[in-house]
Short mmCIF file of all heavy atoms in Angstrom, two decimals:
data_model
loop_
_atom_site.label_atom_id
_atom_site.label_comp_id
_atom_site.label_asym_id
_atom_site.label_seq_id
_atom_site.Cartn_x
_atom_site.Cartn_y
_atom_site.Cartn_z
N ALA A 138 -7.00 13.07 18.65
CA ALA A 138 -6.54 14.01 19.66
C ALA A 138 -5.40 13.24 20.49
O ALA A 138 -5.38 13.48 21.71
CB ALA A 138 -7.53 14.57 20.53
N ALA A 139 -4.74 12.34 19.90
CA ALA A 139 -3.80 11.45 20.67
C ALA A 139 -2.75 12.30 21.36
O ALA A 139 -2.26 11.87 22.44
CB ALA A 139 -3.19 10.41 19.71
N ASP A 140 -2.34 13.37 20.75
CA ASP A 140 -1.26 14.16 21.36
C ASP A 140 -1.76 15.02 22.52
O ASP A 140 -0.94 15.70 23.20
CB ASP A 140 -0.58 15.08 20.34
CG ASP A 140 -1.55 16.07 19.70
OD1 ASP A 140 -2.79 15.99 19.97
OD2 ASP A 140 -1.13 17.06 19.01
N ALA A 141 -3.02 14.92 22.85
CA ALA A 141 -3.56 15.68 23.96
C ALA A 141 -3.70 14.86 25.24
O ALA A 141 -4.47 15.16 26.15
CB ALA A 141 -5.00 16.23 23.60
N LEU A 142 -2.94 13.76 25.31
CA LEU A 142 -3.01 12.82 26.45
C LEU A 142 -1.55 12.42 26.80
O LEU A 142 -0.82 12.00 25.87
CB LEU A 142 -3.86 11.59 26.16
CG LEU A 142 -4.00 10.62 27.27
CD1 LEU A 142 -5.02 11.11 28.35
CD2 LEU A 142 -4.46 9.25 26.74
N PRO A 143 -1.16 12.51 28.08
CA PRO A 143 0.17 11.99 28.47
C PRO A 143 0.16 10.44 28.55
O PRO A 143 0.30 9.91 29.63
CB PRO A 143 0.37 12.63 29.82
CG PRO A 143 -0.99 12.81 30.38
CD PRO A 143 -1.89 13.10 29.22
N ASP A 144 0.00 9.84 27.45
CA ASP A 144 -0.22 8.37 27.40
C ASP A 144 0.96 7.61 27.97
O ASP A 144 0.71 6.56 28.54
CB ASP A 144 -0.57 7.97 25.95
CG ASP A 144 -0.93 6.53 25.91
OD1 ASP A 144 -1.88 6.10 26.57
OD2 ASP A 144 -0.20 5.70 25.12
N ALA A 145 2.13 8.06 27.75
CA ALA A 145 3.35 7.32 28.19
C ALA A 145 3.32 7.10 29.72
O ALA A 145 3.82 6.13 30.26
CB ALA A 145 4.62 8.05 27.83
N ASP A 146 2.64 8.01 30.45
CA ASP A 146 2.62 7.89 31.89
C ASP A 146 1.37 7.19 32.39
O ASP A 146 1.19 6.91 33.61
CB ASP A 146 2.61 9.28 32.56
CG ASP A 146 3.91 10.05 32.30
OD1 ASP A 146 4.93 9.51 32.74
OD2 ASP A 146 3.86 11.05 31.62
N LEU A 147 0.46 6.80 31.47
CA LEU A 147 -0.78 6.17 31.89
C LEU A 147 -0.94 4.73 31.32
O LEU A 147 -1.58 3.89 31.95
CB LEU A 147 -2.02 7.03 31.35
CG LEU A 147 -2.04 8.43 31.95
CD1 LEU A 147 -3.19 9.19 31.22
CD2 LEU A 147 -2.39 8.36 33.44
N ALA A 148 -0.32 4.48 30.16
CA ALA A 148 -0.57 3.22 29.50
C ALA A 148 -0.12 2.03 30.33
O ALA A 148 -0.64 0.92 30.19
CB ALA A 148 0.04 3.23 28.09
N ALA A 149 0.92 2.22 31.15
CA ALA A 149 1.43 1.07 31.93
C ALA A 149 0.48 0.75 33.11
O ALA A 149 0.63 -0.31 33.73
CB ALA A 149 2.86 1.44 32.50
N VAL A 150 -0.37 1.65 33.43
CA VAL A 150 -1.31 1.49 34.57
C VAL A 150 -2.74 1.13 34.08
O VAL A 150 -3.44 0.31 34.70
CB VAL A 150 -1.40 2.80 35.41
CG1 VAL A 150 -2.27 2.56 36.64
CG2 VAL A 150 0.01 3.26 35.78
N PHE A 151 -3.16 1.70 32.95
CA PHE A 151 -4.51 1.58 32.52
C PHE A 151 -4.72 0.70 31.31
O PHE A 151 -3.86 0.74 30.45
CB PHE A 151 -5.18 2.91 32.27
CG PHE A 151 -5.24 3.86 33.42
CD1 PHE A 151 -5.09 5.24 33.23
CD2 PHE A 151 -5.44 3.38 34.70
CE1 PHE A 151 -5.21 6.06 34.38
CE2 PHE A 151 -5.45 4.22 35.72
CZ PHE A 151 -5.37 5.58 35.62
N ASP A 152 -5.81 -0.06 31.27
CA ASP A 152 -6.25 -0.74 30.03
C ASP A 152 -7.47 0.02 29.51
O ASP A 152 -8.53 0.05 30.09
CB ASP A 152 -6.64 -2.20 30.42
CG ASP A 152 -7.02 -3.01 29.22
OD1 ASP A 152 -6.74 -2.58 28.08
OD2 ASP A 152 -7.66 -4.07 29.41
N TYR A 153 -7.30 0.68 28.37
CA TYR A 153 -8.29 1.64 27.83
C TYR A 153 -9.50 0.90 27.19
O TYR A 153 -9.30 -0.11 26.39
CB TYR A 153 -7.71 2.56 26.83
CG TYR A 153 -6.64 3.50 27.34
CD1 TYR A 153 -5.46 3.76 26.64
CD2 TYR A 153 -6.78 4.15 28.58
CE1 TYR A 153 -4.50 4.55 27.08
CE2 TYR A 153 -5.79 5.02 29.03
CZ TYR A 153 -4.71 5.22 28.30
OH TYR A 153 -3.67 6.07 28.80
N GLU A 154 -10.62 1.44 27.44
CA GLU A 154 -11.88 1.09 26.72
C GLU A 154 -12.36 2.38 25.95
O GLU A 154 -12.99 3.21 26.53
CB GLU A 154 -12.96 0.64 27.72
CG GLU A 154 -14.37 0.38 27.08
CD GLU A 154 -14.43 -0.90 26.28
OE1 GLU A 154 -13.62 -1.81 26.56
OE2 GLU A 154 -15.26 -0.91 25.36
N PRO A 155 -12.01 2.51 24.67
CA PRO A 155 -12.31 3.73 23.93
C PRO A 155 -13.79 3.87 23.61
O PRO A 155 -14.45 2.89 23.16
CB PRO A 155 -11.45 3.65 22.61
CG PRO A 155 -10.49 2.51 22.88
CD PRO A 155 -11.18 1.54 23.85
N ILE A 156 -14.38 5.04 23.84
CA ILE A 156 -15.76 5.29 23.55
C ILE A 156 -15.86 6.69 22.84
O ILE A 156 -15.28 7.65 23.32
CB ILE A 156 -16.58 5.39 24.83
CG1 ILE A 156 -16.41 4.11 25.66
CG2 ILE A 156 -18.06 5.64 24.49
CD1 ILE A 156 -17.02 2.86 25.06
N CYS A 157 -16.54 6.75 21.77
CA CYS A 157 -16.95 8.05 21.13
C CYS A 157 -18.45 8.13 21.20
O CYS A 157 -19.16 7.43 20.42
CB CYS A 157 -16.42 8.16 19.74
SG CYS A 157 -16.98 9.69 18.93
N PRO A 158 -19.03 8.98 22.01
CA PRO A 158 -20.54 9.06 22.06
C PRO A 158 -21.14 9.56 20.78
O PRO A 158 -22.22 9.05 20.40
CB PRO A 158 -20.76 10.01 23.19
CG PRO A 158 -19.48 10.78 23.42
CD PRO A 158 -18.39 9.87 22.99
N GLU A 159 -20.48 10.48 20.06
CA GLU A 159 -21.06 10.89 18.75
C GLU A 159 -21.14 9.73 17.77
O GLU A 159 -22.18 9.57 17.12
CB GLU A 159 -20.22 12.03 18.20
CG GLU A 159 -20.36 13.35 18.91
CD GLU A 159 -19.36 13.50 20.07
OE1 GLU A 159 -18.76 12.47 20.47
OE2 GLU A 159 -19.16 14.56 20.60
N MET A 160 -20.09 8.94 17.68
CA MET A 160 -20.15 7.74 16.83
C MET A 160 -21.19 6.74 17.40
O MET A 160 -21.85 6.08 16.61
CB MET A 160 -18.80 7.16 16.74
CG MET A 160 -17.73 7.97 16.07
SD MET A 160 -18.03 8.13 14.32
CE MET A 160 -17.49 6.45 13.76
N GLY A 161 -21.29 6.67 18.72
CA GLY A 161 -22.19 5.73 19.34
C GLY A 161 -23.59 6.02 19.02
O GLY A 161 -24.45 5.05 18.99
N ILE A 162 -24.01 7.25 18.83
CA ILE A 162 -25.34 7.57 18.48
C ILE A 162 -25.63 7.71 16.96
O ILE A 162 -26.61 8.22 16.50
CB ILE A 162 -25.89 8.87 19.22
CG1 ILE A 162 -25.07 10.10 18.76
CG2 ILE A 162 -25.76 8.65 20.73
CD1 ILE A 162 -25.58 11.37 19.31
N GLY A 163 -24.57 7.29 16.23
CA GLY A 163 -24.76 7.19 14.79
C GLY A 163 -24.44 8.42 13.95
O GLY A 163 -24.92 8.60 12.80
#
């Protein structure tokens, strides 16, 4: 869902830690 985030306006400010809870619980 990368196109569902205004990343160009955020990437210069934030360092992302990606988490997927569904994957996290196997």
Side-chain angles (χ1 to χ4, degrees):
D140 61 350
L142 181 75
D144 184 58
D146 296 299
L147 298 173
V150 183
F151 297 149
D152 182 17
Y153 295 138
E154 173 73 27
I156 305 290
C157 176
E159 288 88 348
M160 294 290 285
I162 63 174

